[in-house]
Amino acid sequence: MEPWEKVYIKIRGDGDISQIDDHFAELSCIDCHNGNSNKPNDKAAAHSGLILDPSEYVDGTNSCGKAGCHENTVANYKNSMHQNLYGEKRMVALRSGVSSFEQCPQSTQDGFNGECTSCHATCGQCHISIPNSAGGGFPKSGPIYSSHRFKKTPDMRNNCTACHGSRVAHDYYGDDEAGRDADVHYLMGFDCLDCHSGAEMHSAVTDKDNTHRYNYEHAPKCEKCHSSDIDDATNKYHSIHKEKTSCYVCHAVSTTKGEHGSYNNCTKCHVADEWKTDPDYQNNNPAEDFKIGRNPLKSDKRPYNFVTLRHIPIARTSYDNWGASGTLTDYDKYETWKLATPHSIQRWTAQTDTTGGKTCSEKCHIINGNNKDIYIFEEYIQNNWPDEVNSNKDVVVDDHLPSWWSK
Amino acid sequence: MTKKILLMFPIVFFLACTQIIDEEDPYTVAYSGDDGCLVCHTNEARLKALAPAGGDDDDPGGG
């Protein structure tokens, strides 16, 4: 998109701007954005004192939260995951050996607030503009300008996957070049919001220091929609593995075995602060796939013994460039192979493949050393990232596989 | 079908031309609303002059 298009409000004929959106019937630009509406011939003067994003919080509220407007949503959202990144902050704190983000070294807090919070979502980034991190401005679909409309329902591509671009988008939409099929739900026309909800996006977090990305109220669950499929006794995969193995272990696309193309792990591009997109690295990338490992977040909601894990790009030295070297004192305590819930669901995957008369477990159980490569073993971490062996003690499968399997 | 296209053509042509005439001089203030911001933000030609192409690459977005 051209820069001018990003700020263009298209009015039809001699129409009035209030025809575009009800907000404009009552509010003028400067009611929300400040600036000077008497200087149309002087760009700098017109924009003096401009508030670029009126939905950014200042002193605990924003322009959407004015009396009689969206007071409740604004009050709740102030303490939401998307506004505060509690999930990320929690891990920064834990690895720094403290129990809340506010207790982290000042250099870490400043570094995080400078670099990472640019990804937090303001109301406008879901309801009006393309998120800043993806270039900002009003979206345009084909020839249609969104013209500063306030959209009740965020747009999957212009809003959600503009931020959730590298993992979720590539998995969910599939990738022809990489030979990766799209998620079955995408092919059936599901939007993010058919599974995720406004309540999930808006709601306040109650325990700020202990809420992480996977311990979030209103999060969707495969079981909610598929309870009858799971209880269907004729599907032996289901009746045998129910509550022991997460759905993703069988239904998420993995590459190691080939046919369906690859899951996009973070480390495919992004390793310990560096972008690794050169072909050399790509061709020898040791961890672009998820692995099956032990469940680091076992709970009533997530009772499984085995789940899919992804390798996250955190190194002991990651915050050194913030001037916080040596402060990740508890780096060894928290897994760098974290729970993953890839949005790359298929009915049949390489793990469950039975074509050509294979038995149901032939491509998944470890028998005579086969299939070892889709599980996470300590030796594998030792060989590739020796500094991460301790961090992952609790997720490696070494002594936890069924005794009748033969390594 | 062909008849429709023949009919459409003069209409599109007419609209496109009046559009150009409307926007011929981007610096003349033509809008008469009470909000000066609209003078620029609703005027394609003015915006093109004030926000030229080139510069920032779009970031691909994060995790």
Side-chain angles (χ1 to χ4, degrees), chain A residues 2 4 7 9 29 37 40 133 166, chain B residues 35-36 41 44 46 53 59 62:
Chain A
E2 299 296 324
W4 69 269
V7 296
I9 299 174
C29 315
S37 62
S133 59
S166 52
Chain B
D35 194 340
H41 281 279
E44 193 176 324
R46 264 174 94 90
D59 191 279

Side-chain angles (χ1 to χ4, degrees), chain B residues 22 25 27-33 39 43 46:
Chain B
D22 269 356
D25 178 3
Y27 292 99
T28 309
V29 177
Y31 189 82
S32 58
V39 171
N43 185 326
R46 264 174 94 90

Side-chain angles (χ1 to χ4, degrees), chain A residues 333-378:
Chain A
K333 283 196 195 159
Y334 300 96
E335 71 277 4
T336 61
W337 280 82
K338 296 192 65 165
L339 179 75
T341 50
H343 289 68
S344 60
I345 303 300
Q346 303 292 335
R347 185 188 195 104
W348 290 101
T349 59
Q351 301 90 289
T352 55
D353 181 30
T354 55
T355 51
K358 291 188 204 75
T359 63
C360 56
S361 62
E362 199 165 323
K363 291 303 232 174
C364 205
H365 292 183
I366 302 179
I367 304 292
N368 299 328
N370 285 332
N371 304 321
K372 269 188 88 166
D373 50 350
I374 53 173
Y375 291 82
I376 185 115
F377 285 97
E378 188 161 304

